[in-house]
């Protein structure tokens, strides 16, 4: 018996797809102000979920008490310090930009302490001043406008303090909700992924969670520890604007450039001003802080969760340009998740077993 051919109503299909597309766009338009806060909260909750489970066991299995404790910890250990650091950037921005942009303020140092270096001190000092007299001042005059533009750009990024604090508050709110209903939300996401791509979709969600935890623990926590320790060293050594320099140090550490880009100029400044004692102390402290990531990051990332340096660097810079300061956290996570998913998809296929020469010979016409 021949089955009758099913007829499709093309206008119905077109209008149905168009209606679904309009609903999707409208939904994203409505939730657009909350997307960054929710993404940030999701990253924080995924990274700290084991801590929540341990706290819940300590509090007699009460999830509500554990959520309350974790929310307070987020405010005290994460939101409040960042808010203070951003406020410090804004407070110190005006004198720094005005000092950099004022002609004649940016002078070449004398570096009298070079004379105290045994054997080569006088020669290095004379060579340095010979370089200065033959064009160093002109070089400073050419470079100074770029210093001003760079400082202004960093201040402009940090000046969005209102929006950044709103995202912080949204992050805390969404984190509390995700802590309370984490299992249900996770199961819903996995169910949606299975509906889209069966078992492969579920595996993709699990890989994404591993990448988020690797970035959060291995990159952000390491950068936070290094910047805090480096900031303590700057404050104890008497470096001006130590809080502002700590913010910049945290940004450099997240970008995998290390804290030495801030600590080394501070050491040079101490020696230049003649404070050799604190300069030596800060030098020794900088050696400890600068090498700390070699031990701390591998312990946090664990085996099999390491990520390429260029990926983290691109995520930090691109996230900072695209989203502002919150992009320091979201940018590396987005690239890390994409990298892990693409790697898993590529590794599903076997590696080529034929040599390149044989493939070339097979493709040549006989």
């Amino acid at each position: 018996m021949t089955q009758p051919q099913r007829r499709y109503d093309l206008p119905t299909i077109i209008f149905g797809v168009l209606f679904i597309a309009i609903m999707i766009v409208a939904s994203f338009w409505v939730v657009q102000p909350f997307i960054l806060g929710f993404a940030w909260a999701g990253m924080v909750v995924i990274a700290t979920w084991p801590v929540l489970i341990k706290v819940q066991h300590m509090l007699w299995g009460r999830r509500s008490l554990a959520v309350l404790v974790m929310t307070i910890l987020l405010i005290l250990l994460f939101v409040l310090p960042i808010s203070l650091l951003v406020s410090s950037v804004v407070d110190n921005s005006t004198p720094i930009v005005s000092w950099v942009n004022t002609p004649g303020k940016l002078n070449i140092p004398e570096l009298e302490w070079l004379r105290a270096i045994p054997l080569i001190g006088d020669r290095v000092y004379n060579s340095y001043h010979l370089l200065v007299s033959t064009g160093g001042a002109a070089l400073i005059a050419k470079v100074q406008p770029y210093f001003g533009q760079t400082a202004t750009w960093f201040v402009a990024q940090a000046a969005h303090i209102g929006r950044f604090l709103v995202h912080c508050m949204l992050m805390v709110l969404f984190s509390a909700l995700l802590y309370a209903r984490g299992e249900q939300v996770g199961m819903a996401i996995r169910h949606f992924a299975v509906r889209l791509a069966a078992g492969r979709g579920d595996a993709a969600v699990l890989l994404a969670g591993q990448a988020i935890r690797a970035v959060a623990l291995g990159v952000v926590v390491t950068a936070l520890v290094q910047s805090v320790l480096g900031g303590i060293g700057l404050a104890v050594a008497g470096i001006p604007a130590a809080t502002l320099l700590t913010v910049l140090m945290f940004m450099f550490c997240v970008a995998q450039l290390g804290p030495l880009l801030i600590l080394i100029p501070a050491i040079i400044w101490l020696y230049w001003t003649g404070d050799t004692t604190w300069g030596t102390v800060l030098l020794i402290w900088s050696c400890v802080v600068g090498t700390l990531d070699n031990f701390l990051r591998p312990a946090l990332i664990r085996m099999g969760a390491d990520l390429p340096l260029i990926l983290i660097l691109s995520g930090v810079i691109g996230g900072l340009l695209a989203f502002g300061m919150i992009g320091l956290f979201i940018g590396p996570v987005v690239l890390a998740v994409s990298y892990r998913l693409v790697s898993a998809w590529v590794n599903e296929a076997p590696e080529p077993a034929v040599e390149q020469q044989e493939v070339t010979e097979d493709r040549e016409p006989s």
Side-chain angles (χ1 to χ4, degrees):
M1 182 176 179
T2 305
Q3 296 289 340
Q5 186 177 2
R6 185 176 180 181
R7 299 181 60 183
Y8 293 95
D9 189 352
L10 185 58
T12 302
I13 297 176
I14 293 176
F15 282 110
V17 173
L18 182 61
F19 176 77
I20 294 174
I22 292 175
M23 292 300 296
I24 293 175
V25 172
S27 299
F28 274 104
W29 196 0
V30 171
V31 302
Q32 187 268 338
F34 310 101
I35 291 178
L36 288 180
F38 187 81
W40 195 3
M43 186 193 73
V44 171
V45 171
I46 291 174
T48 59
W49 187 259
V51 180
L52 173 72
I53 300 302
K54 293 182 180 179
V55 173
Q56 181 177 345
H57 288 314
M58 295 172 58
L59 296 176
W60 312 282
R62 299 285 298 275
R63 174 60 63 89
S64 58
L65 295 178
V67 171
L68 179 61
V69 171
M70 293 298 296
T71 304
I72 295 175
L73 289 177
L74 284 180
I75 296 175
L76 295 179
L77 302 179
F78 193 74
V79 178
L80 186 60
I82 290 180
S83 302
L84 294 176
L85 291 178
V86 175
S87 300
S88 176
V89 172
V90 177
D91 293 339
N92 293 279
S93 61
T94 302
I96 292 177
V97 174
S98 61
W99 177 80
V100 172
N101 288 323
T102 302
K105 289 290 186 179
L106 192 61
N107 298 320
I108 299 177
E110 294 292 331
L111 301 185
E112 291 288 344
W113 56 271
L114 289 175
R115 294 178 178 270
I117 301 177
L119 300 179
I120 62 172
D122 291 333
R123 183 178 301 177
V124 173
Y125 178 81
N126 294 331
S127 300
Y128 170 74
H129 279 271
L130 179 63
L131 176 64
V132 170
S133 62
T134 57
L139 179 62
I140 289 293
K142 291 181 179 179
V143 173
Q144 181 174 359
Y146 298 99
F147 285 162
Q149 295 175 8
T150 303
T152 304
W153 182 85
F154 274 105
V155 171
Q157 292 296 321
H160 300 291
I161 182 172
R163 186 179 68 174
F164 185 73
L165 292 179
V166 168
H167 285 305
C168 286
M169 292 185 290
L170 290 176
M171 185 271 292
V172 174
L173 176 61
F174 288 137
S175 296
L177 296 176
L178 291 176
Y179 280 138
R181 300 292 181 181
E183 292 86 357
Q184 292 86 341
V185 174
M187 187 57 64
I189 294 175
R190 293 181 61 183
H191 193 183
F192 181 75
V194 170
R195 185 65 181 87
L196 288 178
R200 182 179 296 179
D202 191 20
V205 172
L206 297 178
L207 285 175
Q210 294 177 2
I212 290 174
R213 188 165 298 171
V215 170
L217 296 181
V219 177
V220 178
V221 173
T222 302
L224 187 61
V225 171
Q226 283 188 293
S227 60
V228 169
L229 293 179
I232 293 174
L234 294 175
V236 172
I239 301 296
T243 307
L244 176 60
L245 294 177
T246 303
V247 177
L248 297 177
M249 194 185 313
F250 175 75
M251 297 169 62
F252 288 146
C253 289
V254 173
Q256 304 302 293
L257 300 177
L260 297 181
L261 290 177
I262 299 296
L263 294 175
I264 290 178
I267 296 170
I268 295 175
W269 184 82
L270 288 174
Y271 279 110
W272 172 35
T273 56
D275 195 353
T276 57
T277 302
W278 282 112
T280 305
V281 172
L282 186 59
L283 175 61
I284 298 174
W285 184 247
S286 300
C287 294
V288 176
V289 175
T291 57
L292 184 63
D293 59 332
N294 296 326
F295 307 97
L296 184 60
R297 187 185 297 114
L300 294 175
I301 293 181
R302 308 278 181 163
M303 295 295 295
D306 204 356
L307 299 169
L309 176 61
I310 186 65
L311 183 141
I312 301 299
L313 181 60
S314 302
V316 168
I317 297 177
L320 183 63
L321 294 176
F323 305 110
M325 289 194 66
I326 193 175
L328 290 172
F329 306 95
I330 296 180
V333 169
V334 171
L335 292 187
V337 171
S338 303
Y339 171 79
R340 292 299 301 273
L341 295 181
V342 172
S343 299
W345 175 73
V346 171
N347 292 331
E348 288 182 355
E351 295 183 357
V354 184
E355 296 294 336
Q356 180 179 358
Q357 184 177 359
E358 297 179 7
V359 175
T360 304
E361 292 176 355
D362 292 340
R363 296 181 61 88
E364 290 179 354
S366 56

